[in-house]
Amino acid sequence: SKWEIFIQNYNDFFNKIKFRAFIPFKTMEHALKNFLLLSKSCLSNSLSEFLFTQIKINPQKFLLGIEDSKLGTKIYEKNNIKVISNELVIEIIRGIRLHFDKFIQNFVNFGLRKNLSNIAFFFCQSKMSLNFRKTDTMVVQSNSLLELIEKDLNLFSMIIKEWYSKHFPELFRILPNNYLFAIAVKFIGDKKRINFKKEKELGILIMNRKEAKKIVEASKTSVGSKLSPYDLSLIENLSSKILLMLDFKNQLIKFLNRKLKYLVPNLVTLLGENMTAQLIAGAGSLKNLVKFPSSTIQLLGAEKSLFQALKKRTKTPKFGLLFNSSFILKTSHKNKGKISRFLANKCSLAAKIDYFSLFSTSLYGKKLRNQLKDIMQFWKTGDMGEI
C-alpha cells in the first residue's frame, strides 16, 4: 500500500515527520529504571520533565500521540497535555522505530545495538523476579507425581502378584509387602531353581531369615503351574521396574520433605510433610493458600460434598484434607468439627508466617502445635494449660 511504501522510505518519512526534541538516558541504570516504569504504564520523572520543558506554551492546544493509552491518561493528569492513541499514531511510531538506528546516528556516537542488547537483558532479568525460596511449583508437581507413582505401583504390584501366583502362589502369603515381594520374584525366578544355598542370600535380601526358610520349604510343595522362560523373563522385568519405581518414590519423598522443611517449616511442624504437600497442592500454590481464609482451608478437598450439601440443603462437611491430620483422628467424634476449625486457623497463621517471613524458623509452628495439644487436653481433662 501507499502508506507502507511511505513508512519504508526514510527520506519521504522524515520529510513529513518533523524532528522536535531528543534526550538520551544518562546511564544504563537510568534507562532500565525508565523502561520498567513504562512497562507498567507508569510516568517517570524524566519523561514528565522532558514533556514539561518541550511543551511550555499552551499545552492544552498540543496533541501528543502515544501508543500506551494508560500511560497517556497519566500524562494528561500530571502535565495537562491532551493525548491521542489510535492506529495512525501506532503506524507513525512503527516508522520511527524502523528508521531509529539510522536516524539516531546523528546524535550519539556509541554502539547502539550493544547497549540495547545489554538493557534488554537486564530488563528481562528484572521482570522475571523469581524468588527460589518461595517457589512452590516443584512441591505441587512432586506431590502430583508421587500420587501418580503410588497408583502405578499399586497396579503393577497387583499384576505381578496375580501373574507370579500362578507359578508360586504361596509366596504372596509369606511376603505380602510389595517391595519385598518384587525383590523375591526377581531373585527366585523359577521356583525350581531355589535351594538351601540361596536361602541365606534371600534372607539377606528380604532382611528376614525365617521368612526365607519358609519360602524355600514352600517352593518344594508348591501347587503352582509351570511357566515358560518367556513368561518368567517378562515377570522378572516387571519386578525390576517396580523396584526402580519404589527407589524413585523414596528419593522423591526425601526431596519433597527437604523442600517443604525449607519452604514452609512452621506448616510442616504443625501438619507433617505429607499433609502440608497435599494442602499446598489442593490450594494450587502457597500464594493461594496464604490468601485463603481459615474457613476455606478447613474445607479444602471437600468442595464436591459442600456443593452437594448446599444443593440438597443438608449438613455441610466439617473438614476436607485436614481430616487425615493426627489431631482430628485422635479427637472424639463430637469435637472433630471444633478441632478442625481450630486447626485450619493455625494452618492459616503458619502459612502466612512462612510466606512473608524473611528467615526460616519452625518456632512458631511448635508454639501453634502446643496450643492445639493444650486445647485437646482441655476437652479431655478440663485443664487449661497455656490456652
Side-chain angles (χ1 to χ4, degrees):
S1 64
K2 291 182 179 181
W3 179 255
E4 188 65 31
I5 295 169
F6 169 71
I7 288 179
Q8 294 292 334
N9 192 306
Y10 175 81
N11 294 322
D12 290 346
F13 183 78
F14 279 103
N15 282 335
K16 297 289 184 182
I17 308 298
K18 300 298 181 182
F19 172 72
R20 169 106 187 204
F22 168 78
I23 182 170
F25 293 113
K26 297 175 183 177
T27 60
M28 192 175 293
E29 290 78 10
H30 183 229
L32 183 61
K33 183 181 178 181
N34 278 268
F35 286 162
L36 287 169
L37 288 170
L38 289 171
S39 67
K40 299 174 184 177
S41 299
C42 295
L43 180 63
S44 65
N45 292 330
S46 301
L47 179 57
S48 180
E49 289 172 6
F50 175 72
L51 293 172
F52 178 76
T53 54
Q54 296 302 319
I55 309 169
K56 295 181 179 178
I57 305 170
N58 295 327
Q60 294 178 353
K61 294 182 180 181
F62 194 91
L63 197 60
L64 179 66
I66 195 164
E67 190 173 359
D68 189 350
S69 57
K70 292 181 180 179
L71 178 61
T73 304
K74 293 178 181 179
I75 290 173
Y76 178 74
E77 290 173 355
K78 187 171 183 179
N79 295 76
N80 199 24
I81 300 170
K82 289 184 178 180
V83 176
I84 184 171
S85 178
N86 54 27
E87 291 184 7
L88 179 62
V89 171
I90 292 171
E91 288 298 316
I92 292 172
I93 292 172
R94 185 168 69 89
I96 294 170
R97 192 180 290 118
L98 179 66
H99 301 297
F100 186 74
D101 289 0
K102 188 176 180 181
F103 175 74
I104 204 68
Q105 289 176 1
N106 301 321
F107 302 97
V108 291
N109 296 317
F110 53 81
L112 180 65
R113 284 290 172 189
K114 184 179 179 181
N115 283 277
L116 284 175
S117 298
N118 291 335
I119 292 171
F121 172 77
F122 289 115
F123 176 74
C124 294
Q125 191 180 49
S126 61
K127 288 292 285 183
M128 287 175 71
S129 64
L130 295 177
N131 186 347
F132 290 102
R133 189 188 175 281
K134 300 300 181 185
T135 302
D136 54 356
T137 309
M138 294 181 73
V139 172
V140 176
Q141 292 173 347
S142 298
N143 184 70
S144 301
L145 184 59
L146 203 57
E147 291 177 357
L148 185 63
I149 289 172
E150 194 69 43
K151 289 179 182 177
D152 290 342
L153 276 173
N154 290 334
L155 177 62
F156 293 164
S157 299
M158 182 182 68
I159 290 170
I160 196 172
K161 285 176 181 177
E162 186 177 344
W163 286 0
Y164 198 70
S165 292
K166 293 179 181 179
H167 177 64
F168 193 1
E170 295 81 6
L171 183 62
F172 169 62
R173 296 172 186 173
I174 300 170
L175 295 176
N177 183 274
N178 293 337
Y179 184 69
L180 296 178
F181 185 86
I183 290 175
V185 169
K186 184 173 175 60
F187 178 76
I188 295 169
D190 190 349
K191 63 183 178 183
K192 291 183 179 179
R193 290 186 301 181
I194 192 169
N195 50 41
F196 288 105
K197 291 181 180 180
K198 291 188 175 181
E199 184 182 326
K200 289 184 179 180
E201 296 177 17
L202 183 60
I204 294 169
L205 284 172
I206 64 173
M207 295 175 291
N208 194 324
R209 291 186 178 181
K210 291 182 180 179
E211 299 295 335
K213 188 175 181 180
K214 287 180 182 179
I215 292 168
V216 174
E217 291 174 355
S219 65
K220 293 181 178 181
T221 58
S222 177
V223 295
S225 59
K226 186 179 179 181
L227 292 177
S228 66
Y230 179 78
D231 293 339
L232 281 171
S233 66
L234 186 65
I235 291 170
E236 288 174 6
N237 288 334
L238 181 58
S239 66
S240 299
K241 297 293 182 186
I242 290 171
L243 292 173
L244 287 172
M245 287 180 71
L246 283 165
D247 288 338
F248 177 68
K249 177 190 169 185
N250 293 331
Q251 291 176 16
L252 191 61
I253 289 170
K254 289 179 181 178
F255 163 78
L256 190 59
N257 293 346
R258 187 171 67 250
K259 191 77 175 175
L260 286 168
K261 285 179 181 177
Y262 184 67
L263 185 69
V264 281
N266 292 295
L267 199 57
V268 168
T269 305
L270 189 62
L271 291 177
E273 291 87 354
N274 191 29
M275 276 293 304
T276 302
Q278 290 179 13
L279 206 62
I280 294 172
S285 66
L286 179 60
K287 187 177 181 180
N288 291 343
L289 187 65
V290 169
K291 290 179 180 179
F292 288 161
S294 57
S295 57
T296 304
I297 294 174
Q298 182 183 348
L299 296 178
L300 270 178
E303 290 84 0
K304 289 183 180 180
S305 301
L306 176 63
F307 294 136
Q308 286 177 2
L310 293 173
K311 186 178 180 181
K312 297 178 182 179
R313 296 184 178 180
T314 56
K315 288 185 177 181
T316 56
K318 295 179 180 178
F319 29 67
L321 293 170
L322 293 179
F323 177 75
N324 296 319
S325 172
S326 59
F327 292 106
I328 295 177
L329 294 174
K330 292 177 182 178
T331 310
S332 61
H333 181 72
K334 68 175 183 178
N335 290 324
K336 283 186 185 294
K338 293 180 182 178
I339 195 66
S340 177
R341 286 192 294 273
F342 202 76
L343 178 60
N345 182 29
K346 299 303 179 186
C347 288
S348 179
L349 286 172
K352 287 176 174 64
I353 292 168
D354 287 328
Y355 187 77
F356 292 109
S357 62
L358 299 176
F359 55 93
S360 181
T361 177
S362 61
L363 293 174
Y364 298 100
K366 290 176 182 177
K367 185 67 176 178
L368 294 172
R369 189 176 179 85
N370 290 334
Q371 287 178 1
L372 281 165
K373 289 179 179 179
D374 289 339
I375 196 70
M376 289 174 68
Q377 185 68 23
F378 170 70
W379 288 333
K380 286 182 181 179
T381 61
D383 183 16
M384 293 291 288
E386 295 182 3
I387 301 173

